[in-house]
Amino acid sequence: MTKFLQNAGSYRHPVTFQKQSITTNDYGEQIPQWDDVVTVKAGIYPVSGKDYISAVEVNSEITTKVNLRYVPGLSADMRIMFGTRIFTIIAIINFQEMNKELQVMCKEFL
């Protein structure tokens, strides 16, 4: 059996997980907002990218893998903020089911 080791140097990017909530303004309108859940250090690794045309616009989409130490309570209905960049979470994988590392598959739309 191989021993699972984490390299602390690979977690060098501060990222913030956010969850959407709904607030009501003075006129009774519901307004979505994003609230910070937790800020952690992570490794960000672009996996693939593509350009596509939609409604006479050229759009770009980057698939990214974000590795971080295990944090309980994260879910796919959250998003990740890295500086001004926003990553939409596609899936959260508990690597080797050991509760030591999470691999989060994301998409970033440019």
Side-chain angles (χ1 to χ4, degrees), residues 29-70:
E29 299 172 321
Q30 293 185 343
I31 300 174
Q33 70 177 26
W34 290 92
D35 301 321
D36 293 350
V37 175
V38 65
T39 299
V40 296
K41 294 283 192 160
I44 299 175
Y45 306 98
V47 176
S48 67
K50 68 178 180 179
D51 291 331
Y52 58 94
I53 298 174
S54 173
V56 194
E57 289 183 356
V58 177
N59 299 309
S60 295
E61 174 183 303
I62 300 172
T63 302
T64 304
K65 180 172 74 170
V66 178
N67 291 349
L68 61 137
R69 288 187 176 90
Y70 181 79

Side-chain angles (χ1 to χ4, degrees), residues 5-99:
L5 299 173
Q6 291 177 307
N7 181 0
S10 63
Y11 305 127
R12 62 183 171 275
H13 305 292
V15 298
T16 301
F17 283 80
Q18 296 181 325
K19 187 167 183 74
Q20 189 175 31
S21 64
I22 303 294
T23 60
T24 305
N25 67 9
D26 295 337
Y27 300 105
E29 299 172 321
Q30 293 185 343
I31 300 174
Q33 70 177 26
W34 290 92
D35 301 321
D36 293 350
V37 175
V38 65
T39 299
V40 296
K41 294 283 192 160
I44 299 175
Y45 306 98
V47 176
S48 67
K50 68 178 180 179
D51 291 331
Y52 58 94
I53 298 174
S54 173
V56 194
E57 289 183 356
V58 177
N59 299 309
S60 295
E61 174 183 303
I62 300 172
T63 302
T64 304
K65 180 172 74 170
V66 178
N67 291 349
L68 61 137
R69 288 187 176 90
Y70 181 79
V71 177
L74 299 181
S75 62
D77 63 346
M78 296 179 177
R79 73 177 187 182
I80 297 175
M81 289 290 298
F82 174 55
T84 58
R85 296 168 63 187
I86 299 172
F87 297 96
T88 303
I89 297 175
I90 304 302
I92 300 176
I93 301 164
N94 184 356
F95 185 68
Q96 296 182 347
E97 298 298 326
M98 295 179 62
N99 294 346

